Amino acid sequence: MSRTLSRLLTFLGIRQEPIGPSVTRSLELAASQQALFQLEIQHGKTQCHHYLNFSKLTQDGLELIPSDLSFSVPQNWLNKTFLFKYLVETDQTKPPLLHKFQSAILGVSKNQRITIALPHDIIVLEQRRNVRIRLHRRHMPHMAIWGVHKNFGETKGLTLKHHLILDLSPAIEETAQTLKNISAGGMRLSICPEVLSKNKERFEEGRKLIVQLVFSGSPSPNAKHLLLSKICNVRIKPGERPEFGIQFLASRVHTPHAHWQELGNDGCERLARVVHSLQMQYYAEIKQRLAIQEGTISVALRQGLRPRGRT
């Protein structure tokens, strides 16, 4: 199957430099699994994302279908290069891997289907460390944050007898405004200015925090997470809510003996399962909405590449 895409390109008469075998294999997996692609647009320091489904290979490149039919491509995006990401399962015993590549938008059809150039290089990202998701309101956790009295080392002398900064219920609006995104290795917070004014010293870059997250909809072993964290990225602008990057340093382990377990590059394993589960759920929901809009779930593969039973 490794030559399928190359033969198809030749049959379609697509004229471009040959793509490598690793790129070919990855695109074949994306086609067979009807992968959902994320288009990342940078507006200054702000990022926004649009989701597109794999459609087909055309005479010009790779055609993608927007999941939101109201989405339109501005004229000034044409022939510009953007970042694309997608998830594909490469091993059934492991979580899907996130892939990224740079590609130019070559054209847009009347129904807003986008044609992009076939990439010559696709990078496989370390899934748990790199992927952050914005939680839907129905999945917001109960979040509590304590400031550590003294800036101890990674795990020395840490208890919950510290200054409580936040205690937010998942049901209130403030929780959704505060928790911008989350991954197994950290999260991004947008703090109410009044909270910051009362805790300025505790929100300095490099300071330690203790974060508790309780996901009520998660399986019980992964529902509650207590994490020693560090503020590592501060952004404060007049008239805007202050934002802080939070890096998870250690996780509280309660069995068989309670202790703090320092985290590596993969972040917190138990939290990774929660994030991965929700990420795949969101992708599946977007693809289902797209399938309903298009009238069929297999619209992406009309040029001879058939899905292997995935939805």
Side-chain angles (χ1 to χ4, degrees):
M1 185 167 179
S2 62
R3 297 183 179 180
T4 301
L5 185 56
S6 297
R7 291 198 300 268
L8 183 57
L9 295 178
T10 302
F11 174 76
L12 292 173
I14 296 176
R15 296 180 179 179
Q16 65 168 46
E17 296 178 9
I19 59 177
S22 62
V23 172
T24 299
R25 286 192 296 271
S26 184
L27 291 179
E28 286 177 342
L29 284 172
S32 66
Q33 297 176 23
Q34 293 187 310
L36 191 69
F37 287 70
Q38 182 190 78
L39 166 61
E40 182 174 294
I41 305 297
Q42 191 80 27
H43 297 289
K45 292 185 177 181
T46 304
Q47 293 179 351
C48 64
H49 301 98
H50 302 282
Y51 291 94
L52 309 103
N53 206 49
F54 191 109
S55 175
K56 62 182 179 180
L57 293 171
T58 71
Q59 291 291 329
D60 299 308
L62 181 65
E63 185 180 272
L64 303 175
I65 309 171
S67 61
D68 181 359
L69 297 184
S70 65
F71 170 68
S72 61
V73 174
Q75 190 68 25
N76 61 1
W77 286 12
L78 294 180
N79 299 316
K80 288 188 177 180
T81 299
F82 296 96
L83 178 65
F84 292 83
K85 297 179 182 178
Y86 62 95
L87 279 170
V88 292
E89 184 181 274
T90 58
D91 186 334
Q92 294 184 353
T93 64
K94 298 179 180 179
L97 294 176
L98 186 71
H99 296 63
K100 74 174 183 178
F101 63 87
Q102 300 274 350
S103 184
I105 297 178
L106 302 179
V108 184
S109 67
K110 292 182 179 179
N111 58 4
Q112 291 300 310
R113 298 191 179 203
I114 299 172
T115 299
I116 65 174
L118 290 172
H120 291 283
D121 185 31
I122 297 178
I123 298 173
V124 181
L125 298 174
E126 202 289 311
Q127 167 74 342
R128 293 170 185 160
R129 185 179 184 182
N130 290 277
V131 177
R132 292 195 177 208
I133 63 172
R134 186 176 182 87
L135 297 176
H136 290 187
R137 289 177 181 270
R138 67 185 186 274
H139 296 136
M140 283 291 167
H142 184 162
M143 179 170 62
I145 298 178
W146 292 266
V148 177
H149 284 309
K150 295 181 180 180
N151 218 25
F152 292 114
E154 302 302 306
T155 57
K156 180 182 177 182
L158 291 174
T159 70
L160 289 185
K161 296 179 180 179
H162 296 288
H163 176 76
L164 180 64
I165 297 173
L166 285 174
D167 187 5
L168 299 176
S169 162
I172 64 175
E173 176 71 20
E174 182 62 22
T175 306
Q177 292 182 354
T178 300
L179 183 55
K180 304 292 288 185
N181 57 54
I182 188 169
S183 73
M187 60 185 184
R188 188 153 193 87
L189 300 180
S190 177
I191 301 295
C192 174
E194 289 77 12
V195 173
L196 178 61
S197 65
K198 297 177 182 178
N199 299 275
K200 285 185 178 179
E201 292 184 357
R202 303 182 192 280
F203 277 105
E204 293 176 352
E205 192 158 339
R207 288 300 298 258
K208 302 293 194 308
L209 301 172
I210 294 176
V211 176
Q212 180 176 275
L213 302 170
V214 181
F215 293 87
S216 59
S218 301
S220 56
N222 299 322
K224 185 175 180 179
H225 307 268
L226 194 62
L227 301 148
L228 171 63
S229 310
K230 179 176 71 174
I231 296 175
C232 59
N233 187 355
V234 177
R235 188 176 72 186
I236 300 177
K237 291 185 177 181
E240 297 181 8
R241 287 172 64 104
E243 292 194 5
F244 302 86
I246 307 296
Q247 179 186 359
F248 299 146
L249 302 176
S251 174
R252 188 68 172 172
V253 179
H254 295 284
T255 55
H257 302 288
H259 66 281
W260 290 96
Q261 183 178 44
E262 295 187 12
L263 303 176
N265 291 336
D266 288 348
C268 177
E269 173 69 25
R270 293 189 306 115
L271 185 56
R273 296 181 195 140
V274 176
V275 172
H276 167 67
S277 174
L278 294 176
Q279 181 186 30
M280 297 307 296
Q281 181 177 333
Y282 297 161
Y283 270 49
E285 290 172 357
I286 294 173
K287 290 171 70 175
Q288 184 178 26
R289 289 198 299 269
L290 178 62
I292 293 172
Q293 291 167 345
E294 289 294 315
T296 174
I297 207 164
S298 60
V299 66
L301 304 173
R302 294 173 179 167
Q303 294 292 332
L305 295 177
R306 299 183 60 83
R308 296 181 298 193
R310 289 182 63 88
T311 60

